[in-house]
């Protein structure tokens, strides 16, 4: 037993604290998502979801959101940052930059990581097939299924994946933290905007965050293990 304990201790130490933290985040995110999915399917979260959506509207008229009129325009602009068009442009722009910077392996890994996350989001929506909320009028047009929130999940998949992978090529710790912080803020704002606009239940957004963060963390751990931090110039 002492020998086994010493071996396990050595294995944990060799992994590094960041990898252990990543594994914990991925495992925790997956656990919360699966637990939340079960509760959603059983209808256990409906009262909570409805209460939150109602609290964001005027008591006398559920078609009017709380806050000043300009806030709705701001939130609508924010929610577009999680739309397919914007996320596609961000991904293509980032991959293009990496290719031009002669970081071809990282660029292709980013591309396939984001595309894989988008495919996973679509499959989850189809598999769970939760209808959109109807407790309050929607402030923007929506046509697909509700759980997990596509905007929340795809924002997490795209921004967190890009943030985590791009942080690997930053020289300073402050720059790495800044890149990850920006990715987190964008992901959170997009998800919250979907609830304010009445097009998603809060649990839809939470599920999207958990699934997206889990995927992004897994991609980061794979990149950390297999992608070189510095790539040799090829064909400059």
């Amino acid at each position: 037993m002492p020998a086994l304990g010493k071996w396990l201790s050595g294995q944990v130490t060799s992994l590094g604290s960041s990898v252990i933290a990543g594994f914990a985040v991925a495992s925790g995110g997956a656990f919360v998502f699966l637990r939340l999915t079960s509760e959603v399917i059983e209808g256990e979260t409906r009262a909570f979801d409805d209460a939150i959506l109602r609290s964001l509207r005027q008591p006398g008229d559920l078609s009017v959101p709380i806050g000043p009129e300009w806030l709705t325009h701001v939130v609508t602009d924010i929610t577009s940052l999680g739309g397919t068009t914007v996320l596609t442009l961000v991904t293509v722009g980032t991959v293009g930059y990496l290719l031009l910077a002669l970081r071809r392996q990282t660029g292709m890994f980013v591309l396939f990581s984001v595309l894989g996350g988008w495919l996973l989001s679509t499959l989850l929506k189809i598999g769970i097939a939760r209808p959109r909320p109807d407790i309050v009028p929607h402030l923007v047009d929506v046509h697909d299924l509700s759980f997990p929130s596509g905007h929340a999940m795809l924002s997490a998949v795209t921004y967190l994946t890009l943030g985590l992978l791009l942080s690997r090529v930053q020289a300073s710790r402050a720059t790495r933290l800044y890149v990850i912080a920006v990715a987190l803020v964008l992901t959170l704002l997009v998800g919250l905007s979907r609830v304010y606009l009445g097009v998603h239940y809060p649990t839809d957004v939470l599920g999207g965050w958990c699934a997206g963060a889990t995927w992004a963390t897994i991609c980061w751990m794979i990149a950390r293990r297999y992608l070189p931090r510095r790539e040799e110039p090829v064909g400059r």
Side-chain angles (χ1 to χ4, degrees), residues 205-220:
V205 171
L206 180 58
W209 282 338
C210 289
T214 298
W215 179 263
T217 304
I218 291 173
C219 290
W220 172 78

Side-chain angles (χ1 to χ4, degrees), residues 118-220:
W118 288 21
L119 176 60
L120 177 62
S121 174
T122 301
L123 294 176
L124 289 173
K125 274 183 174 288
I126 295 173
I128 298 169
R130 185 188 198 184
R132 291 279 181 168
D134 56 7
I135 189 68
V136 297
H138 301 162
L139 300 183
V140 292
D141 291 332
V142 289
H143 305 287
D144 59 349
L145 297 167
S146 196
F147 186 92
S149 164
H151 275 64
M153 182 172 176
L154 295 181
S155 294
V157 165
T158 304
Y159 293 129
L160 293 183
T161 297
L162 295 179
L164 288 170
L165 294 181
L166 290 178
S167 69
R168 298 182 70 248
V169 302
Q170 304 305 313
S172 69
R173 184 170 183 270
T175 306
R176 292 195 294 271
L177 291 176
Y178 175 78
V179 170
I180 294 173
V182 170
L184 283 171
V185 169
L186 288 173
T187 300
L188 291 173
L189 288 177
V190 169
L192 293 174
S193 73
R194 304 307 283 173
V195 179
Y196 183 85
L197 296 172
V199 296
H200 274 297
Y201 296 109
T203 49
D204 294 339
V205 171
L206 180 58
W209 282 338
C210 289
T214 298
W215 179 263
T217 304
I218 291 173
C219 290
W220 172 78

Side-chain angles (χ1 to χ4, degrees), residues 69-105:
E69 293 184 6
W70 56 262
L71 181 59
T72 301
H73 297 289
V74 171
V75 174
T76 302
D77 288 340
I78 290 174
T79 209
S80 66
L81 296 176
T84 303
T85 301
V86 172
L87 294 180
T88 298
L89 291 173
V90 170
T91 301
V92 171
T94 302
V95 171
Y97 163 77
L98 290 171
L99 294 178
L100 289 173
L102 303 181
R103 300 193 63 88
R104 293 178 174 82
Q105 294 181 48

